[in-house]
Each structure stands twice: as structure tokens, then as C-alpha cells.
Amino acid sequence: MHSIYSDGVYTQEELFQKAKSCGLSAISITDHDTIDGCKEAIVLSKEFGIDYITGIEFSCFEGTKEHHILGYDFDPDDPALVAHLVDFKEARFNRAEKIVSKLEKLRKPIKIDNILKIAGKAPIIRPHIAKAMLDEGHVKSVKEAFLKYLGDWKPAYAPKKTFPVEKAIKLVNSAGGIASLAHPGPFIEQDALYRMIQLGLDGVEIVHPIHDETLRNFYHSVASQYWLLETGGSDYHGDKEYDELNFGKLVVPYSIFESIRYHSG
């Protein structure tokens, strides 16, 4: 699940409250490319009596391909991990400045301060910029902002910084955690999947809203064949059409939580 520290709409405390009301015994909050909420969540875990492990969802970019790597049960004070995330946040800010500059030339000016206000605690992502364009009246919807200006290779597009899957796996492992491939769905090429396994992937996400029974069975067989942990969850953000239906229902057994704790460290 995700909180206001990335692209979720709820605070850490609100997520723990929802987890408590659903009867969940353990959770992880895997905000995108930030661990700023981890220490707060550790405190809340004790207050709510819900087991918690640290989490993050890395955005990895290789060429034109994007993959997400989940990190679980790592040390949030690990120097290499902290340094990477500081650099990442700065890279996102620099990218936003390039996009703003391009929009200026397209006579669609927005202020970086407005984008930062919209982003709040989270690293800047394109939807934040789209929202700023909407607020300025440059577009009638976030979708229009992407279709005309911000989408891949559109006039105001700026490429993301390359971040290989291998580096994400090593960062998580060196911080004492386990790395799992997030929501591979039907999109990932088999060669890419097996290359990640060879790079040291610890797990693969089985339970996810985009995974039907056929996909779950397929990734279960892959996990069984390569001795991978089978992770999963609702991928709850709080503003998706299916979120409330899935929260507390798309879950994994507590034994998975125990396995992650056993294999990490």
C-alpha cells in the first residue's frame, strides 16, 4: 500500500487505522522511491498492535523499459540506501525543472513552487505537474496534460534517470532486506524475468489487482521453480476505482510475512 509520502492519499496513521478495522495482522507500506514514512510506521505499529516491516517500491528504468522492485524489511538507516534516495529525489526535482522549462517555451507556464506544494512529502512525479497545469487552466484534465504535453516523447517530456534493476536488488539486499518483483502482470518478457532472477531477485509478487488466477498460477510456478518468496497485496492508493474493494481482501498469509523476516537481515 502507499501513503501521502508518495502517490497515496492517506497518512500512515490512517492506513494503520484501516488495517486495524479490516483485521489485518501485518502490513508493509511500500511508498514509491522513498522511505521517509518508515520510522513513523514503526512507532504506529506498536500503537495499533499490527506487525510491520519496512517497505519501498523502487522505480527502475533500463532503456525504454520500466520495472518496479519491492524492498521489504530493510534497515531504513542504511547509508547507501539513504544516499541513493536523496540523489533520486534531487534527480526528480531536476527533471521537473526541465519539464517546466519546456512548458514555458510552449506558453504553458507553471511555477515549480506550485508543483512542490502539490507533491507535499513525495518526490515530484509527472501527475503532480499535470495537476499544476490543471490548476493554472492550461488543460481541462490530467489526462489531457499527458496526451498533449507530458506523456512519453510528448513536447514537454523529459526522460527519467537510468536506474537498473540490479542496483535496486543490491541496495535492498545490502540494507538487510529482500527484493521482490512488483506486479509483473502479463507485460514482462520472459527473458527479462529470468535475467532478474539470475541477478539475485528474492521474490515475485503473486497477489495483485492486475493478476487474475492464470497469472497467479504462472508466477506461483516460477516462484516454486526458483525458490522465490511469494509476495502480494492490494497495492492500495486510496483513489483507485478498485481500492476499497481490494483493501483487506487481496492479502497473503501471515506465513509470508514470517518468511520475509526469516530471509532478511
Side-chain angles (χ1 to χ4, degrees):
M1 63 186 80
H2 304 270
S3 77
I4 59 170
Y5 284 98
S6 61
D7 59 346
V9 300
Y10 290 109
T11 64
Q12 306 268 310
E13 184 172 4
E14 288 168 332
L15 289 175
F16 271 92
Q17 287 172 341
K18 286 182 71 67
K20 189 77 172 179
S21 67
C22 288
L24 296 180
S25 55
I27 65 169
S28 183
I29 300 172
T30 56
D31 280 313
H32 293 279
D33 304 299
T34 180
I35 55 173
D36 288 351
C38 284
K39 292 184 179 180
E40 180 184 349
I42 291 170
V43 174
L44 289 167
S45 169
K46 296 172 183 175
E47 290 180 9
F48 282 87
I50 296 174
D51 287 339
Y52 165 81
I53 51 174
T54 51
I56 187 171
E57 185 170 348
F58 281 110
S59 305
C60 299
F61 310 101
E62 299 179 322
T64 60
K65 300 289 185 180
E66 178 172 351
H67 304 288
H68 288 189
I69 298 294
L70 292 159
Y72 288 117
D73 205 26
F74 50 81
D75 176 8
D77 290 319
D78 180 77
L81 178 60
V82 171
H84 165 77
L85 294 173
V86 169
D87 289 344
F88 178 88
K89 197 165 188 176
E90 183 179 348
R92 281 290 173 99
F93 181 82
N94 293 338
R95 183 188 185 214
E97 286 188 316
K98 291 177 183 177
I99 293 174
V100 167
S101 177
K102 290 185 176 185
L103 288 170
E104 182 83 33
K105 293 175 182 177
L106 294 166
R107 297 183 179 179
K108 304 292 179 184
I110 53 174
K111 295 180 179 178
I112 196 75
D113 287 346
N114 292 346
I115 300 171
L116 287 169
K117 186 176 180 181
I118 291 167
K121 297 176 182 290
I124 297 175
I125 55 178
R126 282 182 290 177
H128 297 144
I129 301 172
K131 179 64 166 57
M133 293 183 71
L134 181 63
D135 290 347
E136 289 288 340
H138 295 317
V139 292
K140 294 180 180 179
S141 68
V142 168
K143 183 177 181 180
E144 182 187 349
F146 272 85
L147 288 174
K148 289 185 176 179
Y149 304 103
L150 304 178
D152 291 357
W153 316 116
K154 296 297 181 180
Y157 173 76
K160 300 166 185 173
K161 184 178 179 180
T162 297
F163 179 49
V165 167
E166 182 176 13
K167 185 173 181 181
I169 294 172
K170 287 182 176 178
L171 270 176
V172 174
N173 288 164
S174 66
I178 69 107
S180 179
L181 177 62
H183 47 70
F187 316 110
I188 190 168
E189 296 175 358
Q190 297 306 299
D191 288 347
L193 173 60
Y194 294 122
R195 182 178 65 85
M196 291 180 201
I197 294 171
Q198 291 174 339
L199 291 173
L201 197 68
D202 302 299
V204 61
E205 192 166 44
I206 308 293
V207 177
H208 187 274
I210 68 168
H211 288 182
D212 58 17
E213 187 176 356
T214 300
L215 281 173
R216 289 187 192 185
N217 289 337
F218 171 73
Y219 288 114
H220 169 72
S221 67
V222 171
S224 298
Q225 182 179 357
Y226 291 95
W227 295 84
L228 301 175
L229 291 167
E230 299 185 24
T231 67
S234 62
D235 199 9
Y236 183 84
H237 289 72
D239 59 353
K240 310 295 184 188
E241 186 177 338
Y242 51 75
D243 271 343
E244 299 305 328
L245 182 65
N246 292 335
F247 191 94
K249 296 181 179 65
L250 287 186
V251 297
V252 293
Y254 189 80
S255 59
I256 297 294
F257 180 85
E258 292 178 313
S259 293
I260 290 173
R261 279 196 158 166
Y262 177 80
H263 287 92
S264 61

